[in-house]
């Protein structure tokens, strides 16, 4: 299993993970982290082969591989999978199912202007708060007492392009069913203006409506996504989880309408605010 991502030093780092069997026991290890200068399928194959040879591993010993769906990874002619298949024609390729689910959710959540505007607002709010330690301290003061057991969930989150559940965490960290306001006396006029502007956007019906719908969907997709990435995954249970997820997503909207009405009542009692 291999995948790469750019680090803080703006270098593309490739993680090489191997799963192997010794006397009937299965082991999984991070073999190496290497810098990638050329991300083409052939270059990745040469880099993988070079590092395998240093460990005394032959490419013919690879019986299965799992990558994402990028062309340079799974391409039928010039992808990494295609080059490894030349060493072992019986190679089994698996597109990571957690990654597939993540792609579906990401594409679906960006398929309408309302959700696009919502996530733009989430990112704008996260940047506004995280750019100042003073603002972040206010955030921690107002959320810390209520959410000591879930401190990580309620820390302000930015949306990461490569991080699973980042949209769920980012939205959940801002939407909160309590009435809180930033203490405006501590800030300058520009900060007050930005805070009021963001608050007005979050108070709009379209924003709250979209947030409730999306958080409801995430409440059933995130547990499945998390399980698909667990190291103790059971394939039968995983398959049933995906089937159940599809049934829940395709359910009629009657139950959802009742659920939304009950949430609107609670919203009237305790107005939703951005902190």
């Amino acid at each position: 299993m291999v995948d790469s991502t750019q680090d803080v030093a703006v270098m593309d780092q490739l993680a090489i993970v191997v799963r192997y069997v010794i006397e009937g026991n299965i082991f999984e290890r991070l073999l190496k982290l290497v810098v990638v200068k050329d991300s083409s399928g052939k270059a990745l194959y040469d880099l993988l082969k070079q590092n395998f040879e240093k460990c005394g591993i032959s490419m013919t010993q690879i019986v299965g591989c799992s990558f994402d769906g990028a062309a340079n990874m799974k391409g039928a002619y010039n992808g990494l999978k295609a080059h490894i298949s030349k060493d072992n024609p019986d190679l089994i390729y698996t597109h990571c199912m957690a990654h597939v689910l993540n792609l579906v959710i990401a594409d679906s959540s960006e398929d309408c202007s309302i959700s696009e505007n919502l996530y733009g607002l989430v990112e704008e709010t996260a940047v506004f708060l995280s750019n100042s330690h003073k603002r972040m301290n206010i955030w921690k003061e107002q959320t810390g007492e209520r959410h000591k057991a879930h401190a990580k969930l309620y820390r302000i989150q930015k949306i990461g392009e490569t991080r699973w559940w980042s949209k769920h965490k980012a939205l959940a960290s801002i939407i909160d069913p309590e009435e809180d306001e930033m203490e405006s006396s501590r800030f300058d006029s520009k900060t007050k203006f930005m805070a009021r502007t963001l608050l007005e956007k979050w108070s709009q019906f379209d924003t709250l409506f979209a947030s409730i719908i999306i958080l409801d969907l995430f409440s059933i997709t995130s547990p499945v996504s998390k399980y698909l990435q667990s190291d103790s995954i059971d394939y039968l249970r995983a398959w049933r989880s995906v089937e159940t997820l599809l049934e829940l997503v395709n359910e009629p909207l009657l139950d959802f309408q009742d659920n939304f009405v009950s949430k609107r009542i609670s919203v009237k009692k305790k107005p939703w605010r951005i902190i």
Side-chain angles (χ1 to χ4, degrees), residues 107-163:
D107 290 345
S108 300
S109 63
E110 295 174 354
D111 199 36
C112 66
S113 59
I114 293 178
S115 60
E116 284 182 346
N117 293 339
L118 175 62
Y119 286 117
L121 181 57
V122 169
E123 187 72 10
E124 185 180 9
T125 304
V127 171
F128 169 72
L129 291 173
S130 60
N131 278 351
S132 166
H133 68 88
K134 194 174 179 180
R135 298 171 205 163
M136 285 303 300
N137 287 337
I138 296 296
W139 172 273
K140 292 175 183 177
E141 287 176 12
Q142 297 192 354
T143 60
E145 289 300 317
R146 294 194 308 276
H147 306 299
K148 287 181 178 179
H150 305 284
K152 290 184 178 180
L153 176 63
Y154 284 92
R155 289 179 59 189
I156 190 68
Q157 300 279 338
K158 295 182 182 179
I159 298 176
E161 293 296 328
T162 60
R163 291 185 180 274

Side-chain angles (χ1 to χ4, degrees), residues 4-36:
S4 68
T5 189
Q6 182 174 291
D7 63 12
V8 293
V10 199
M11 292 190 297
D12 196 24
Q13 296 269 13
L14 180 74
I16 304 174
V17 178
V18 292
R19 181 178 293 170
Y20 53 94
V21 180
I22 298 179
E23 297 180 353
N25 296 313
I26 301 174
F27 300 89
E28 186 173 302
R29 298 288 185 271
L30 173 63
L31 187 66
K32 206 163 187 181
L33 281 170
V34 292
V35 176
V36 177

Side-chain angles (χ1 to χ4, degrees), residues 6-274:
Q6 182 174 291
D7 63 12
V8 293
V10 199
M11 292 190 297
D12 196 24
Q13 296 269 13
L14 180 74
I16 304 174
V17 178
V18 292
R19 181 178 293 170
Y20 53 94
V21 180
I22 298 179
E23 297 180 353
N25 296 313
I26 301 174
F27 300 89
E28 186 173 302
R29 298 288 185 271
L30 173 63
L31 187 66
K32 206 163 187 181
L33 281 170
V34 292
V35 176
V36 177
K37 296 182 179 179
D38 184 348
S39 60
S40 65
K42 181 61 169 62
L44 290 175
Y45 169 81
D46 293 337
L47 185 62
L48 190 63
K49 183 176 181 180
Q50 176 186 348
N51 284 277
F52 271 13
E53 289 176 347
K54 291 180 180 179
C55 299
I57 303 174
S58 170
M59 297 297 286
T60 59
Q61 292 177 281
I62 302 178
V63 297
C65 61
S66 179
F67 314 135
D68 59 29
N72 64 328
M73 304 300 283
K74 75 165 190 176
Y77 302 103
N78 293 311
L80 176 58
K81 165 189 168 287
H83 291 289
I84 299 177
S85 296
K86 295 176 182 177
D87 294 315
N88 188 347
D90 296 323
L91 179 80
I92 298 174
Y93 164 72
T94 303
H95 186 172
C96 173
M97 293 308 296
H99 185 254
V100 172
L101 177 59
N102 184 69
L103 292 176
V104 170
I105 295 172
D107 290 345
S108 300
S109 63
E110 295 174 354
D111 199 36
C112 66
S113 59
I114 293 178
S115 60
E116 284 182 346
N117 293 339
L118 175 62
Y119 286 117
L121 181 57
V122 169
E123 187 72 10
E124 185 180 9
T125 304
V127 171
F128 169 72
L129 291 173
S130 60
N131 278 351
S132 166
H133 68 88
K134 194 174 179 180
R135 298 171 205 163
M136 285 303 300
N137 287 337
I138 296 296
W139 172 273
K140 292 175 183 177
E141 287 176 12
Q142 297 192 354
T143 60
E145 289 300 317
R146 294 194 308 276
H147 306 299
K148 287 181 178 179
H150 305 284
K152 290 184 178 180
L153 176 63
Y154 284 92
R155 289 179 59 189
I156 190 68
Q157 300 279 338
K158 295 182 182 179
I159 298 176
E161 293 296 328
T162 60
R163 291 185 180 274
W164 285 319
W165 323 317
S166 66
K167 289 186 175 181
H168 187 183
K169 287 185 177 180
L171 184 57
S173 67
I174 293 177
I175 290 293
D176 189 86
E178 295 286 346
E179 184 171 3
D180 292 289
E181 295 180 0
M182 187 175 288
E183 297 181 25
S184 58
S185 60
R186 304 188 190 184
F187 300 96
D188 57 29
S189 58
K190 181 179 179 181
T191 301
K192 295 177 187 178
F193 170 76
M194 285 298 301
R196 283 194 295 266
T197 301
L198 290 170
L199 180 57
E200 288 176 3
K201 292 179 180 178
W202 278 108
S203 301
Q204 292 175 1
F205 174 80
D206 288 353
T207 302
L208 292 175
F209 182 71
S211 299
I212 291 172
I213 293 177
I214 292 174
L215 285 175
D216 276 351
L217 288 173
F218 279 148
S219 70
I220 60 176
T221 59
S222 290
V224 178
S225 180
K226 184 176 181 180
Y227 182 70
L228 289 174
Q229 299 169 66
S230 63
D231 54 5
S232 58
I233 187 171
D234 177 270
Y235 287 99
L236 181 58
R237 181 181 170 188
W239 184 261
R240 288 173 177 170
S241 297
V242 173
E243 288 183 329
T244 302
L245 172 60
L246 290 173
E247 291 175 1
L248 291 172
V249 171
N250 290 319
E251 274 186 352
L253 293 178
L254 294 178
D255 293 338
F256 167 75
Q257 291 172 352
D258 294 338
N259 189 27
F260 178 67
V261 169
S262 66
K263 286 189 176 181
R264 286 191 64 189
I265 294 173
S266 65
V267 167
K268 290 179 180 179
K269 292 179 179 179
K270 293 184 177 180
W272 289 35
R273 292 289 186 267
I274 174 178

